[in-house]
Amino acid sequence: MQYLFQKYAANGSTPVEPPKPSRRTILKSIGGVGAGLVLGMQLPQSAKADSGAAAVIKGDAGTAVFAPNAFVRIAPDSTVTVLIKHIEFGQGPYTGLTTLVAEELDADWSQMRAQSAPANAALYKNLMFGVQGTGGSTAMANSFDQMRKAGAAARAMLVEAAAKAWGVKADEVTVSKGVIAHEASGKKASFGEFADAAAKLEPPAEPFLKDPSEFVLIGTELPKLDSEVKSTGKAEFTIDVMRPDMLTVQIQRPPVFGGKVKSVDDSAARKVPGVVDVKTVPRGVAVFGEGFWAAKKGREALQIEWDESEAETRSTSEMLADYQKSAASVGQVVAATGDAEKALASAGGAIEAEYIFPFLAHAPMETQDCVIEATDSSATVWAGSQFPTLDQAAVAQTLGLRPEEVDVQTMFAGGSFGRRATPIADIAYECATAVKAIDRKRPVKLIFTREDDILGGFYRPMTVHRLKGAVDADGRISAWDHVIAGQSIMEGTPFESMMTEGVDPTLVEGARELPYDIPNLRVSFHKKSSAIPPLWWRAVGHTHTAYSTEAFLDELLTLGGKDPVEERLRMLGDKHARLSGVLKAVAEAADWGAAVPEGRARGVALHKSFNSYVAEIAEVSINNEDGIPRVHKVWCAVDCGIAVNPDIVRAQMEGGIGYGLGHILFSALTLDKGRVQQSNFDTYRSLRINEMPEVDVTIIKSGEAPTGVGEPGLPPIGPAVANAWAKLTGKRVRQLPFLPVEA
């Protein structure tokens, strides 16, 4: 990928093309390695010369270390540390990716460790993105073979080293639970005993991988590697980072998106005890303090006049009216079968529905934060970096450094749901502008308050869907027309190149690939514009397309007098066996068709997202307090290929269901003349622990390659609840959230 931040440069300078990593740089990037074996997978042929593949160097303790492209480190004490290229913010890559290495290495789980890989896209890129980053539920999918090969290669080298030392054939040497053995001679050794010798060997180009039938660790519920440190408070997050002489910065950003600083009176702010300096920065006014409280109080004392001439100053109602007007007509067509328009015109049983989805904030528990310590020639960044490549580039661009001169220390993060994956690396960029504003004299910690986080933009975009459908004389769906109006997430970002013919896939995903057999179908969209910065939000476009398609489908099935499960299965036919599989599994788990407790109803929905298949059934009643659904239980069936750790799969399904449920019931961001009206959890409501339903997860046994689980549990929960609600009350909820939010 080309260097990313020319469009967003604060000083207007032309960015420098990132240098190719030298062998020296790569070895430095994995510095701190002591005695033992450090193994990495080889890059494609074109990259090998720069990577220094198969090099043998001397480590800190003077022992031989195999170095470049490091994923695996084996220490003299036989502990195995796996460098994880994906951020750990609760979704399980530390454990899952380490499991893949341990499986092929035939290690004992007790000897396995994990730590974040350094920022180095050449070595640690996401194979689906081309940059180092986490998102789109790709961690396991893009790393499955890569990490297994890393473990298998390490095992092969240890076996070869043992065979040479013992004077036996390599195929006579076995490895089991971290013990290397030769049965005939009775010789045994630990990994550490042969780490130095193995480091001198050439790694196999194509190491032998196990057949899935031989898996010992993959598919088992191994304990998470990060649970203990997080449970005991030992885990270090960005907010915990303290540097000598560090300042804390609070930035006052414009009250409307697209606003700019016109003038500043900082006299009162400078009088606040602990305030060190006040500077205007590209995204607002920065107050530097000897700690968070001083910076916050100083920020509150600022007097700022804003230029709103290019800002988004519309209220939600005005934006909604514009979106609705667009959705009333056919847009750019992205899917078409038969002649939907003609079929609808001649149908006797046609219905129409409009679905409205609000702006949503990500609102992770840990608000946005970043620490940067810089000199004229280097910088170190501590952050919950979801895209280290982008953060590294943004800091380098802002401080006039080369990317290889910026060291990104990826910390644990307290959630993200997409917020830490901004294409313009806004958090790292803001912190870098603050460091630059004080001439790099002191380290700086940028901390968002909860209000900053919710008011700060980068929202799940607002969308409007208008659907028309019809059933024939047999009650089967004969026509379907779906129009979407919404904002593009990718347009104007480094990811714009992923758009084809102007189509942002995140706007129409899940709608244009409707799996059901409908003879006349058309899907189109209108791309809307606003100064409000949009961003992928857990499950991205599937969050609104799953709701609109599955809720409208249910309405048509009701019109045609069809059973929601049976008719879905018929419409899926033979082409979508995995979707049919999860639907059958969830129906069996919930005993679909059996009597439901009085005062309750059940609804079903299914959806494919991130190459995983999920079906859910929700059982609801009426919450007498506020008249919205009370969800008692959710049955979920998921087919995500090989479940590397079933416990993590279940946890992600449960988390996605809870997160999605809270937002469809309570959450919305509304604007009054461009100003967001919600700012904390008192006005931006989340699901509470007593509102979390019981969740029963069925994992379909599969031999397919692993696919995503971080997001696919979310899309079906909204329509499953909506369909149950319609059955219970006769009311179709077409504008979210269920509990109205005042605009």
Side-chain angles (χ1 to χ4, degrees), residues 228-388:
E228 181 180 353
V229 292
K230 289 180 177 177
S231 300
T232 58
K234 296 177 183 177
E236 190 174 29
F237 295 78
T238 306
I239 199 168
D240 300 317
V241 174
M242 301 298 293
R243 303 298 300 166
D245 204 30
M246 185 180 74
L247 293 174
T248 300
V249 66
Q250 288 268 281
I251 297 178
Q252 184 61 55
R253 301 167 189 85
V256 290
F257 298 105
K260 300 175 183 177
V261 176
K262 189 173 183 180
S263 65
V264 184
D265 179 355
D266 61 12
S267 55
R270 291 181 179 276
K271 294 176 183 177
V272 173
V275 169
V276 173
D277 208 345
V278 179
K279 296 285 187 180
T280 298
V281 292
R283 298 194 69 198
V285 180
V287 179
F288 299 84
E290 301 281 4
F292 173 79
W293 190 247
K296 182 176 184 294
K297 298 303 288 185
R299 184 176 70 168
E300 291 171 356
L302 290 171
Q303 296 294 317
I304 305 174
E305 185 179 0
W306 300 99
D307 176 3
E308 301 180 9
S309 59
E310 298 179 8
E312 175 61 83
T313 57
R314 291 178 293 175
S315 296
T316 302
S317 57
E318 295 173 276
M319 295 184 69
L320 180 57
D322 178 36
Y323 281 39
Q324 289 173 311
K325 183 178 179 180
S326 294
S329 62
V330 179
Q332 181 177 339
V333 176
V334 293
T337 302
D339 191 332
E341 194 166 336
K342 182 178 178 181
L344 285 167
S346 61
I351 58 174
E352 187 171 344
E354 180 183 75
Y355 294 88
I356 298 170
F357 301 91
F359 289 110
L360 293 176
H362 304 77
M365 284 298 101
E366 182 189 9
T367 59
Q368 309 311 300
D369 45 17
C370 180
V371 176
I372 298 179
E373 187 170 3
T375 67
D376 289 338
S377 60
S378 67
T380 302
V381 181
W382 292 265
S385 182
Q386 193 165 345
F387 271 80

Side-chain angles (χ1 to χ4, degrees), residues 589-643:
D591 196 12
W592 180 264
V596 177
E598 187 177 352
R600 299 185 185 183
R602 292 178 180 176
V604 63
L606 76 156
H607 195 75
K608 176 188 175 184
S609 63
F610 308 97
N611 292 317
S612 290
Y613 306 80
V614 179
E616 293 172 8
I617 292 173
E619 182 173 296
V620 311
S621 66
I622 300 174
N623 187 327
N624 293 325
E625 271 188 36
D626 44 31
I628 65 171
R630 173 71 172 97
V631 183
H632 299 275
K633 186 169 183 176
V634 176
W635 291 265
C636 169
V638 54
D639 180 347
C640 58
I642 295 172

Side-chain angles (χ1 to χ4, degrees), residues 453-613:
D453 214 32
I454 292 178
L455 293 168
F458 298 99
Y459 302 139
R460 195 283 300 267
M462 180 176 76
T463 55
V464 171
H465 295 242
R466 184 173 290 275
L467 290 99
K468 299 176 184 177
V471 298
D472 60 20
D474 296 323
R476 293 180 174 178
I477 299 174
S478 58
W480 180 283
D481 189 33
H482 189 169
V483 184
I484 304 169
Q487 202 173 345
S488 168
I489 295 173
M490 292 182 171
E491 188 175 48
T493 78
F495 292 93
E496 190 170 17
S497 61
M498 297 174 67
M499 297 171 60
T500 304
E501 297 181 352
V503 180
D504 184 337
T506 67
L507 183 57
V508 297
E509 60 188 2
R512 69 175 174 183
E513 309 91 356
L514 202 67
Y516 302 110
D517 181 18
I518 299 174
N520 301 287
L521 177 146
R522 180 175 64 190
V523 180
S524 65
F525 79 96
H526 294 274
K527 188 167 54 183
K528 308 300 296 181
S529 298
S530 171
I532 300 172
L535 187 61
W536 23 72
W537 184 93
R538 191 174 189 176
V540 202
H542 297 285
T543 62
H544 48 88
T545 59
Y547 189 102
S548 58
T549 57
E550 286 293 291
F552 190 64
L553 180 75
D554 195 78
E555 192 164 351
L556 287 171
L557 297 183
T558 300
L559 179 66
K562 301 296 185 181
D563 178 82
V565 170
E566 292 179 3
E567 186 63 7
R568 277 179 170 84
L569 289 171
R570 187 198 68 78
M571 295 173 70
L572 290 171
D574 299 327
K575 296 180 181 179
H576 302 282
R578 296 177 75 180
L579 269 176
S580 296
V582 292
L583 182 55
K584 290 175 182 176
V586 80
E588 181 179 351
D591 196 12
W592 180 264
V596 177
E598 187 177 352
R600 299 185 185 183
R602 292 178 180 176
V604 63
L606 76 156
H607 195 75
K608 176 188 175 184
S609 63
F610 308 97
N611 292 317
S612 290
Y613 306 80

